[in-house]
Amino acid sequence: MRILAAGDHFVRPDLIRTALSRELPGTGGESPEVTELTLPWPYEPFGSVGGVQEASGTEEELIGALSGVSVCVTQMAPFTGRVFAAAPGLRLVAVSRGGPVNVDLAAATRHGVAVSFAPGRNAAAAAEFAVGLMLAAMRRIGTADAELKAGRWRGDLYAYEEGGTELAGATVGLVGYGAIGRIVARVLLAFGARVLVADPYTDPVAAAADGVEPVELDALLRRSSVVSLHARLTEETRGLIDARRLGLLPRGAVLVNSARGGLLDHAPLPDLLRSGALGALALDVYDVEPPPGDWPLRDAPNVITTPHLAGATRQTAHRAAAITAAEVGRFARGEPLAHPANPEVLVADRS
């Protein structure tokens, strides 16, 4: 079995190789052959390649690296219809991220290639980051840091009118209650917050057992002094928090988005911040990444921004490699995949 470790500068090829060596120590009496390809992300932004999204590298270099390969482990490689057509021996693409957006699933299925993904790989990292953004926005940590570095001692930030708010006793609304949302909820409950969740796929009995209150989205927005987005971006959730729903927030509420930029309508945000209707905004994701030079939020008050870093921990990279290596092990043993994206394709080692 020949495997391509198509890594990048986060989930590196050597991490994939090491995880594979632990999972496949001489499967069938012979160690698999692993070749490596290093894609340029994150030193070069990901984007659309041949119709797939959030991809890095080119179709040409991937096609060349796939010669004789039956399995590819990757995070960002652009698996387009053209790539699948040029790699007739390929049988499995194991994508080391929460969703295989860089894979044309229809083309994979047509060519008999199974695709798997790595749910939960960055759940702990993303949850910790979301709580960090909440604290930074609520306590104006970013503003205080920037002012002090500019030589200004802002003692006036201790004035009542300028003071921040606490998570203890706050009502925090989580839009989406998957793996990340559940970890965030546990942390918030430990702070002493009351947690509301809006997610149509959540079992209300299980949510109540977790100590959170499931509610409809509009009710959550009306009742929450802090709102954090944790939903997946789909056609149904694109623009979910639009101008109407932003208008439901209590005056001075804090809004955090570390999920996907497309969940949120960015156009009303500058005016809401300047008027005080929105007390603070913390963003790790954007409608356009990176934001343009004339970005309206660049000079809006009380905005915390980070460049899509919620999942950027070394543990996430190791976990991603391990989850996908385990899928390769199942493939090699002829077992069902744990996380299939196109389960209609039967997996067997036909190398």
Side-chain angles (χ1 to χ4, degrees):
M1 178 169 62
R2 188 175 178 191
I3 303 171
L4 174 64
D8 47 59
H9 296 280
F10 178 54
V11 184
R12 301 184 324 204
D14 63 303
L15 301 183
I16 297 171
R17 181 187 286 273
T18 299
L20 287 168
S21 69
R22 293 178 181 139
E23 184 66 32
L24 301 168
T27 298
E30 183 179 347
S31 297
E33 179 186 354
V34 180
T35 58
E36 297 184 3
L37 173 66
T38 302
L39 303 169
W41 186 83
Y43 295 119
E44 294 181 12
F46 61 57
S48 176
V49 178
V52 297
Q53 304 303 311
E54 297 186 18
S56 178
T58 67
E59 293 171 295
E60 289 76 14
E61 67 178 335
L62 181 57
I63 289 169
L66 285 171
S67 178
V69 166
S70 58
V71 173
C72 181
V73 178
T74 190
Q75 178 180 226
M76 293 281 183
F79 275 94
T80 65
R82 179 185 169 207
V83 169
F84 284 117
L90 191 63
R91 291 293 174 263
L92 172 67
V93 176
V95 180
S96 61
R97 62 199 302 181
V101 295
N102 55 309
V103 178
D104 183 336
L105 282 178
T109 302
R110 285 197 308 272
H111 288 275
V113 180
V115 178
S116 72
F117 59 105
R121 62 156 194 167
N122 65 356
E128 291 178 6
F129 201 88
V131 175
L133 287 177
M134 289 182 208
L135 293 169
M138 296 172 73
R139 299 299 303 274
R140 303 186 67 179
I141 292 172
T143 297
D145 173 71
E147 290 286 271
L148 188 58
K149 287 176 178 174
R152 293 183 287 271
W153 180 266
R154 291 291 304 278
D156 62 299
L157 293 177
Y158 218 113
Y160 179 86
E161 293 77 12
E162 300 290 343
T165 56
E166 301 173 3
L167 281 173
T171 297
V172 181
L174 305 182
V175 180
Y177 194 58
I180 296 169
R182 287 193 294 273
I183 298 172
V184 171
R186 290 200 298 270
V187 175
L188 294 174
L189 291 169
F191 268 99
R194 180 180 185 181
V195 180
L196 312 180
V197 300
D199 189 325
Y201 302 103
T202 293
D203 178 357
V205 175
D210 290 343
V212 305
E213 181 183 350
V215 296
E216 295 296 322
L217 177 57
D218 284 6
L220 178 147
L221 296 171
R222 290 190 181 98
R223 294 170 57 186
S224 301
S225 59
V226 181
V227 172
S228 187
L229 308 186
H230 300 284
R232 291 196 68 82
L233 182 61
T234 66
E235 288 309 310
E236 290 73 28
T237 61
R238 187 174 297 278
L240 183 68
I241 309 301
D242 56 12
R244 181 189 72 81
R245 284 189 162 131
L246 287 167
L248 300 177
L249 291 167
R251 184 172 180 80
V254 172
L255 178 62
V256 175
N257 187 12
S258 57
R260 280 293 185 266
L263 297 171
L264 177 62
D265 182 357
H266 288 65
L269 297 175
D271 287 343
L272 292 173
L273 287 159
R274 292 189 181 96
S275 70
L278 189 61
L281 174 69
L283 298 176
D284 185 50
V285 290
Y286 309 89
D287 51 349
V288 177
E289 295 188 5
D294 60 351
W295 190 43
L297 283 168
R298 200 173 297 279
D299 59 356
N302 300 328
V303 179
I304 298 285
T305 57
T306 52
H308 205 145
L309 292 178
T313 66
R314 293 179 180 179
Q315 291 92 331
T316 291
H318 284 279
R319 197 177 298 120
I323 293 170
T324 45
E327 290 287 67
V328 176
R330 296 182 186 100
F331 167 83
R333 296 186 295 271
E335 299 170 1
L337 298 176
H339 311 295
N342 56 346
E344 60 270 35
V345 176
L346 297 177
V347 174
D349 184 357
R350 299 177 234 166
S351 59

